[in-house]
Amino acid sequence: MKIIVDAMGGDNAPEAPVRGALDAMAEYGVEVVLVGRGEDILAALHKEGVSELPAGLEISHADQVVEMCDNPATAFKEKKDSSLTVGLNLLKSGAGDAFVSAGSTGALLSAATLMTKRIKGIRRAALAPVVPTGTGGAVLIDCGATAECTPEFLLQFAFMGSYYAERVLGRPEPKVGLLNIGAEPSKGTDLQREAYVLLQKAASEGRINFVGNVEAREAVSGSVDVIVTDGYSGNIFLKTMEGVGIFMGREIKKMFLKSLKTKIAALLVKDELRQFKKLMDAGEVGGTPLMGISKPVIKAHGSSDGFAMKNAIRQAMEYSKSGIIEDITENVEYMRLPVKGLVKKETASEPAE
């Protein structure tokens, strides 16, 4: 398997993508194409003690870099020789099995949508990270790709998230919950109430295992395997979880460093503390797939280090082998709006097909 990596994307590029690529090759036996400024990539390889390209590693030169200040909707067009555009063109042409980037989320989403295209029938792509929960993690879909949604979008997110939970997380008949302010079907805005009807119908047909509305606290406790929401609410949910995790980690560290007694206690539970830190570490997951895109595209966190990039490459391998894209393609007819009048007019947040 060959993974294309944006070597110039992210806060720690190109060192982090290069380190991640080398580690992934050593651990997973994967081939990697590093896309970006050749001299910068070679310099990063030299820092890692690599003077000659190892077997299975290629460099595809791209002079330009999509910066965070660039217009995300047009950057890939204006910078046609950027690592982002060149990398996605390689993916589109079949030169690799998946593409990984820690660069601008908006630019990656726009470029993937317009270059590699959405799966026919899918209205919007969605970001679907795995968030830590009391039962080992849940797929959160969407967490920021589409801020304004229609009920049909949420229906499609539910299907795609369900396939991901089953194929990648190994959850048979994954429980799907609609993020809301209460469990009753009447709760929420028109969006949640209308989406509830669509999800319930899909469940009655045996298409998904929809278990109803889920409040944020229940979602975190692990009551569902898939958390369905619009990108605006999902992004707030995700960043709140990240913030709470950072706060708790800092406070726990302060508590254990308070006295000799607490320092001894910390030594006694150091393995458990290490597991807690691992649970809350986004780098352990690697990134999030852009679900609904016709080819595997993984968005790694902008601050990813080499460890996180290695895991993003692993995630790209798993996603590529999972058959999720085939599942979506084969079942997209069931994700269409089945009842007229339930879906509001589409927003213009992203070009429609």
Side-chain angles (χ1 to χ4, degrees):
M1 180 169 287
K2 183 179 290 187
I3 306 299
I4 304 162
V5 177
D6 178 2
M8 310 309 296
D11 301 337
N12 301 311
E15 288 78 14
V18 167
R19 176 72 266 167
L22 293 173
D23 289 346
M25 291 174 62
E27 190 166 340
Y28 310 127
V30 65
E31 297 181 0
V32 175
V33 180
L34 290 169
V35 185
R37 293 170 178 157
E39 62 275 18
D40 292 346
I41 296 172
L42 288 172
L45 285 168
H46 184 72
K47 287 182 182 178
E48 297 292 336
V50 179
S51 56
E52 296 184 6
L53 289 185
L57 181 65
E58 302 173 30
I59 296 176
S60 181
H61 183 74
D63 275 322
Q64 297 174 302
V65 177
V66 172
E67 307 287 354
M68 296 304 292
C69 58
D70 291 331
N71 185 334
T74 58
F76 71 98
K77 292 181 181 179
E78 295 166 353
K79 293 185 172 180
K80 294 185 177 179
D81 195 34
S82 68
S83 55
L84 179 67
T85 305
V86 172
L88 284 172
N89 273 323
L90 288 172
L91 179 67
K92 182 179 179 181
S93 69
D97 298 290
F99 179 68
V100 176
S101 176
S104 165
T105 301
L108 179 63
L109 176 63
S110 296
T113 298
L114 296 175
M115 292 175 63
T116 57
K117 308 295 183 182
R118 293 191 298 269
I119 297 168
K120 187 175 181 180
I122 294 299
R123 305 305 298 165
R124 294 291 185 272
L127 289 163
V130 176
V131 296
T133 70
T135 53
V139 180
L140 175 65
I141 184 168
D142 173 37
C143 79
T146 306
E148 297 181 43
C149 289
T150 68
E152 185 183 25
F153 296 175
L154 297 189
L155 174 68
Q156 295 191 344
F157 294 171
F159 271 86
M160 293 191 293
S162 183
Y163 294 141
Y164 190 82
E166 183 172 4
R167 292 276 193 165
V168 177
L169 301 186
R171 310 280 176 82
E173 297 185 11
K175 295 177 181 178
V176 178
L178 177 64
L179 188 65
N180 209 331
I181 59 173
E184 300 84 359
S186 60
K187 292 289 188 177
T189 67
D190 288 344
L191 173 63
Q192 284 79 32
R193 289 191 294 268
E194 293 172 12
Y196 189 101
V197 175
L198 298 181
L199 295 168
Q200 194 171 48
K201 185 176 188 299
S204 69
E205 295 170 350
R207 306 293 177 190
I208 58 174
N209 183 18
F210 177 57
V211 297
N213 289 327
V214 59
E215 295 185 59
R217 59 187 177 187
E218 278 73 35
V220 174
S221 71
S223 62
V224 295
D225 302 299
V226 182
I227 306 164
V228 178
T229 184
D230 60 274
Y232 181 83
S233 302
N235 193 266
I236 293 173
F237 179 93
L238 177 65
K239 288 180 178 175
T240 300
M241 287 194 68
E242 290 176 345
V244 170
I246 293 170
F247 170 75
M248 287 184 63
R250 184 171 60 241
E251 290 303 306
I252 289 171
K253 184 176 181 180
K254 284 168 57 178
M255 179 181 67
F256 278 117
L257 293 177
K258 194 172 183 179
S259 67
L260 177 60
K261 180 177 68 175
T262 57
K263 289 177 182 178
I264 294 172
L267 288 173
L268 295 175
V269 296
K270 65 177 182 179
D271 291 339
E272 287 75 12
L273 289 173
R274 189 178 295 114
Q275 285 299 315
F276 175 77
K277 183 179 179 181
K278 184 176 180 181
L279 176 68
M280 301 302 296
D281 185 4
E284 291 284 344
V285 178
T288 173
L290 290 185
M291 300 204 69
I293 299 298
S294 64
K295 289 181 179 289
V297 177
I298 301 296
K299 172 65 180 74
H301 200 287
S303 61
S304 293
D305 57 12
F307 176 73
M309 289 301 296
K310 180 197 75 169
N311 285 327
I313 292 171
R314 171 189 51 75
Q315 189 179 30
M317 296 171 63
E318 292 174 351
Y319 189 70
S320 181
K321 292 186 292 186
S322 69
I324 292 172
I325 292 175
E326 291 76 12
D327 281 342
I328 296 171
T329 303
E330 292 170 6
N331 293 283
V332 74
E333 62 182 288
Y334 305 115
M335 305 181 205
R336 300 278 196 172
L337 181 66
V339 181
K340 290 184 178 180
L342 280 178
V343 172
K344 295 185 245 182
K345 186 177 180 181
E346 286 190 10
T347 66
S349 60
E350 180 185 325
E353 292 180 330

Short mmCIF file of all heavy atoms in Angstrom, two decimals, residues 19 31 51 56-57 72 92 95 137-138 147 157 172 214-215 239 251 304 333 335 344:
data_model
loop_
_atom_site.label_atom_id
_atom_site.label_comp_id
_atom_site.label_asym_id
_atom_site.label_seq_id
_atom_site.Cartn_x
_atom_site.Cartn_y
_atom_site.Cartn_z
N ARG A 19 9.31 12.46 9.76
CA ARG A 19 9.49 11.53 10.87
C ARG A 19 8.38 10.50 10.90
O ARG A 19 8.61 9.30 11.07
CB ARG A 19 9.51 12.31 12.18
CG ARG A 19 9.60 11.49 13.47
CD ARG A 19 10.97 10.91 13.65
NE ARG A 19 11.08 9.56 13.13
CZ ARG A 19 12.20 8.91 12.93
NH1 ARG A 19 13.35 9.48 13.20
NH2 ARG A 19 12.21 7.68 12.47
N GLU A 31 4.47 1.95 1.84
CA GLU A 31 5.23 2.85 0.99
C GLU A 31 4.67 4.25 1.12
O GLU A 31 3.47 4.42 1.31
CB GLU A 31 5.16 2.39 -0.48
CG GLU A 31 5.78 1.03 -0.72
CD GLU A 31 5.72 0.63 -2.19
OE1 GLU A 31 5.20 1.41 -3.01
OE2 GLU A 31 6.17 -0.48 -2.50
N SER A 51 20.57 9.63 4.58
CA SER A 51 21.30 10.32 3.51
C SER A 51 20.83 9.89 2.12
O SER A 51 20.97 10.63 1.15
CB SER A 51 22.80 10.06 3.64
OG SER A 51 23.07 8.66 3.65
N GLY A 56 10.95 2.25 -0.94
CA GLY A 56 9.56 2.48 -0.57
C GLY A 56 9.22 3.93 -0.28
O GLY A 56 8.06 4.27 -0.05
N LEU A 57 10.25 4.80 -0.27
CA LEU A 57 10.00 6.23 -0.02
C LEU A 57 10.31 7.03 -1.28
O LEU A 57 11.36 6.90 -1.88
CB LEU A 57 10.89 6.74 1.13
CG LEU A 57 10.71 8.22 1.49
CD1 LEU A 57 9.31 8.46 2.03
CD2 LEU A 57 11.76 8.65 2.51
N PRO A 72 -9.27 29.43 1.91
CA PRO A 72 -9.41 27.97 1.83
C PRO A 72 -10.22 27.49 0.63
O PRO A 72 -10.01 26.38 0.16
CB PRO A 72 -10.11 27.61 3.14
CG PRO A 72 -10.77 28.86 3.59
CD PRO A 72 -9.89 29.97 3.13
N LYS A 92 -5.86 11.31 -7.14
CA LYS A 92 -6.88 11.22 -8.18
C LYS A 92 -6.42 10.34 -9.35
O LYS A 92 -7.21 9.57 -9.91
CB LYS A 92 -7.20 12.63 -8.69
CG LYS A 92 -8.29 12.69 -9.74
CD LYS A 92 -8.55 14.13 -10.15
CE LYS A 92 -9.62 14.21 -11.24
NZ LYS A 92 -9.87 15.63 -11.64
N ALA A 95 -1.93 7.26 -8.17
CA ALA A 95 -0.52 7.07 -7.82
C ALA A 95 -0.34 6.68 -6.36
O ALA A 95 0.77 6.39 -5.93
CB ALA A 95 0.26 8.35 -8.11
N GLY A 137 -14.44 4.95 22.90
CA GLY A 137 -14.42 5.89 21.78
C GLY A 137 -15.68 5.82 20.94
O GLY A 137 -16.33 4.79 20.84
N ALA A 138 -16.01 6.96 20.32
CA ALA A 138 -17.17 7.04 19.44
C ALA A 138 -16.83 7.92 18.25
O ALA A 138 -15.98 8.81 18.34
CB ALA A 138 -18.38 7.60 20.18
N ALA A 147 -20.96 23.47 8.59
CA ALA A 147 -21.53 24.13 9.76
C ALA A 147 -23.06 24.16 9.71
O ALA A 147 -23.72 23.93 10.72
CB ALA A 147 -20.99 25.54 9.88
N PHE A 157 -24.74 11.48 7.27
CA PHE A 157 -23.68 11.38 8.27
C PHE A 157 -23.87 10.14 9.15
O PHE A 157 -22.90 9.45 9.50
CB PHE A 157 -23.66 12.62 9.17
CG PHE A 157 -23.30 13.91 8.48
CD1 PHE A 157 -23.43 15.12 9.15
CD2 PHE A 157 -22.83 13.92 7.18
CE1 PHE A 157 -23.09 16.31 8.53
CE2 PHE A 157 -22.49 15.12 6.55
CZ PHE A 157 -22.63 16.32 7.23
N PRO A 172 -19.98 -4.20 15.90
CA PRO A 172 -21.11 -4.76 15.16
C PRO A 172 -22.40 -4.03 15.53
O PRO A 172 -22.63 -3.73 16.70
CB PRO A 172 -21.15 -6.23 15.60
CG PRO A 172 -20.45 -6.24 16.92
CD PRO A 172 -19.42 -5.16 16.87
N VAL A 214 -29.29 11.83 21.94
CA VAL A 214 -28.32 11.60 23.01
C VAL A 214 -27.78 12.96 23.45
O VAL A 214 -27.43 13.81 22.63
CB VAL A 214 -27.17 10.68 22.54
CG1 VAL A 214 -26.42 11.25 21.35
CG2 VAL A 214 -26.21 10.40 23.68
N GLU A 215 -27.80 13.19 24.76
CA GLU A 215 -27.20 14.42 25.30
C GLU A 215 -25.69 14.27 25.37
O GLU A 215 -25.16 13.15 25.39
CB GLU A 215 -27.78 14.71 26.67
CG GLU A 215 -29.27 15.03 26.66
CD GLU A 215 -29.78 15.44 28.04
OE1 GLU A 215 -29.26 16.42 28.59
OE2 GLU A 215 -30.68 14.76 28.55
N LYS A 239 -14.09 20.52 20.71
CA LYS A 239 -13.13 21.40 21.34
C LYS A 239 -13.38 21.53 22.84
O LYS A 239 -12.44 21.76 23.61
CB LYS A 239 -13.14 22.76 20.64
CG LYS A 239 -12.50 22.66 19.26
CD LYS A 239 -12.49 23.96 18.52
CE LYS A 239 -11.79 23.77 17.17
NZ LYS A 239 -11.85 25.00 16.34
N GLU A 251 -4.65 19.75 36.12
CA GLU A 251 -5.03 19.74 37.53
C GLU A 251 -4.57 18.46 38.24
O GLU A 251 -4.15 18.49 39.40
CB GLU A 251 -6.56 19.88 37.65
CG GLU A 251 -7.08 21.25 37.26
CD GLU A 251 -6.44 22.37 38.08
OE1 GLU A 251 -6.49 22.29 39.32
OE2 GLU A 251 -5.88 23.31 37.47
N SER A 304 0.27 18.32 14.69
CA SER A 304 0.78 16.94 14.74
C SER A 304 2.30 16.89 14.77
O SER A 304 2.98 17.58 14.01
CB SER A 304 0.29 16.15 13.52
OG SER A 304 -1.11 15.96 13.55
N GLU A 333 -28.40 5.08 -2.16
CA GLU A 333 -29.82 5.26 -2.48
C GLU A 333 -30.67 5.30 -1.21
O GLU A 333 -31.73 5.94 -1.18
CB GLU A 333 -30.31 4.15 -3.40
CG GLU A 333 -30.23 2.75 -2.78
CD GLU A 333 -30.68 1.67 -3.75
OE1 GLU A 333 -31.89 1.59 -4.00
OE2 GLU A 333 -29.81 0.92 -4.24
N MET A 335 -29.74 6.65 1.52
CA MET A 335 -29.39 7.86 2.25
C MET A 335 -30.06 9.10 1.68
O MET A 335 -29.86 10.20 2.17
CB MET A 335 -27.87 8.06 2.25
CG MET A 335 -27.08 6.87 2.76
SD MET A 335 -25.31 7.25 2.74
CE MET A 335 -24.64 5.59 2.64
N LYS A 344 -35.01 21.16 4.45
CA LYS A 344 -35.00 22.57 4.10
C LYS A 344 -34.10 22.81 2.89
O LYS A 344 -33.31 21.94 2.52
CB LYS A 344 -34.46 23.38 5.29
CG LYS A 344 -35.32 23.34 6.51
CD LYS A 344 -34.73 24.27 7.54
CE LYS A 344 -34.26 23.52 8.74
NZ LYS A 344 -33.73 24.38 9.76
#
